Amino acid sequence: MDFNESKNIFLQIEEWLNNRILDDKIQPGERIPSVRELAEEMEVNRNTVMRTYSTMENKGILENKRGIGFFVAIDAPKIIQNMQKTEFFEKELPRLLERIKLLRLTSKDLAELVTLIKNNDHETQN
Amino acid sequence: MDFNESKNIFLQIEEWLNNRILDDKIQPGERIPSVRELAEEMEVNRNTVMRTYSTMENKGILENKRGIGFFVAIDAPKIIQNMQKTEFFEKELPRLLERIKLLRLTSKDLAELVTLIKNNDHETQN
DNA sequence: TATTGTGTCATAAGATACTATGACACTAAA
DNA sequence: TTTAGTGTCATAGTATCTTATGACACAATA
């Protein structure tokens, strides 16, 4: 995995895992790779992965069975979604709006955005 | 200034300065606060500010006159805009699209975005 | 010239992230 | 019971960011 130099690795792994859960690539109740496995796969130290798993366990996203492994909590998707939605509207969106203003982005740039979001309307009730 | 814990301080200062330049709060040719001044104002070490100024000088955003101070380069806004536009379309936008998909954002959430961008159309030729 | 404010450089120290490694407790399965 | 795979903990070392501080060269000004 290629990591962003300006952000902690264990946080980037958490983000990666969160996205996989939200995207149903890992499902609630399912077991995730062991600390050692993921560490080797990502070419990272055991302790770094351990730190990711621990923080996610504290947030209720992961559950742990000693001697067996880590599992995705049943309501993990909901927890992640709530967390990220808050983060999105309170920090990322304001930052995005500011960026759009400063960079003078136009409707042409917006096209792809709109069509994508329209599709979400059809899937969910609003 | 309140810094984000998960990102280097000297980078956050750079981002802050870039935004002020793009927003015309600091204009090309204008002198910016001295290393010591900004360090004190932001409650940060001199060397940290120095690092920010140095990296920005290497990018051509700032110019330096020894014994006098740092100045905003004439074409600083253009340089910053090019850099950020690239960054935006190659990294932030893909990340945003992914986030929208995962969080199932709807048109209601999009409203503010659209109106803002429409305004940019009136100001710029496209 | 003397003073003050610039940037610049060097050194040391602290904090934190990450790595490397070993050892131990627990669980499942041969 | 033995073995292999889990998580867990402790220790030490490395790298990087940040701080703290002093000293020096340069420029503007009284």
Side-chain angles (χ1 to χ4, degrees):
Chain A
M1 186 168 176
D2 51 337
F3 295 106
N4 187 327
E5 52 185 10
S6 65
K7 197 178 172 186
N8 297 343
I9 291 181
F10 79 95
L11 290 177
Q12 295 183 55
I13 297 178
E14 178 180 358
E15 185 182 347
W16 177 79
L17 269 175
N18 282 339
N19 286 346
R20 286 182 66 83
I21 294 175
L22 284 186
D23 208 19
D24 264 356
K25 282 170 185 161
I26 316 176
Q27 303 197 342
E30 190 177 332
R31 183 175 170 277
I32 62 177
S34 76
V35 173
R36 287 176 176 81
E37 272 180 4
L38 192 58
E40 189 179 6
E41 180 183 337
M42 296 204 154
E43 294 174 320
V44 148
N45 192 271
R46 299 191 308 223
N47 299 330
T48 304
V49 175
M50 189 60 198
R51 187 167 181 187
T52 300
Y53 283 8
S54 290
T55 61
M56 292 179 72
E57 187 187 10
N58 290 336
K59 294 175 183 173
I61 300 172
L62 297 184
E63 282 169 1
N64 172 296
K65 298 181 186 172
R66 178 162 185 146
I68 305 181
F70 280 93
F71 296 77
V72 178
I74 296 301
D75 49 357
K78 186 170 296 180
I79 295 176
I80 299 172
Q81 239 179 20
N82 287 340
M83 279 181 18
Q84 290 200 359
K85 218 155 185 170
T86 300
E87 174 81 7
F88 182 80
F89 282 106
E90 288 184 356
K91 297 192 177 176
E92 293 189 27
L93 188 53
R95 180 190 159 88
L96 172 72
L97 296 175
E98 188 64 19
R99 186 59 52 95
I100 288 173
K101 221 186 290 177
L102 293 177
L103 293 182
R104 304 278 191 272
L105 299 186
T106 63
S107 287
K108 201 174 130 200
D109 304 324
L110 181 61
E112 189 184 0
L113 226 58
V114 176
T115 54
L116 175 64
I117 296 179
K118 290 283 186 202
N119 288 338
N120 283 342
D121 290 342
H122 298 168
E123 298 174 8
T124 53
Q125 266 66 302
N126 192 26
Chain B
M1 185 169 177
D2 50 336
F3 295 106
N4 187 328
E5 53 184 8
S6 64
K7 196 177 172 187
N8 297 342
I9 290 180
F10 79 95
L11 291 177
Q12 296 182 54
I13 297 178
E14 179 179 358
E15 186 181 346
W16 177 80
L17 269 175
N18 282 339
N19 285 346
R20 285 183 66 83
I21 293 174
L22 283 186
D23 210 17
D24 264 356
K25 282 169 185 161
I26 316 175
Q27 304 196 339
E30 190 178 331
R31 184 175 169 276
I32 63 176
S34 76
V35 173
R36 288 176 175 82
E37 272 180 6
L38 190 58
E40 188 179 7
E41 180 184 336
M42 296 205 155
E43 293 174 322
V44 148
N45 192 271
R46 300 191 305 222
N47 299 330
T48 305
V49 175
M50 190 59 197
R51 187 167 182 186
T52 300
Y53 283 8
S54 290
T55 60
M56 292 178 74
E57 187 187 9
N58 290 337
K59 294 175 182 172
I61 300 172
L62 297 183
E63 283 169 0
N64 171 296
K65 297 180 187 173
R66 179 161 184 148
I68 305 181
F70 281 92
F71 296 76
V72 178
I74 295 301
D75 49 357
K78 186 170 296 180
I79 296 176
I80 299 172
Q81 237 179 23
N82 286 341
M83 279 179 19
Q84 291 200 359
K85 219 157 185 168
T86 301
E87 174 81 8
F88 182 79
F89 281 106
E90 288 184 356
K91 297 193 176 175
E92 292 189 28
L93 188 55
R95 178 190 161 90
L96 172 72
L97 296 176
E98 188 64 20
R99 185 61 51 96
I100 288 173
K101 222 185 290 178
L102 293 177
L103 293 181
R104 303 280 190 272
L105 300 185
T106 63
S107 286
K108 201 174 129 202
D109 304 323
L110 183 61
E112 189 183 0
L113 224 59
V114 176
T115 54
L116 176 63
I117 297 179
K118 290 284 185 201
N119 289 338
N120 283 342
D121 291 342
H122 298 167
E123 299 173 6
T124 54
Q125 266 68 301
N126 193 24

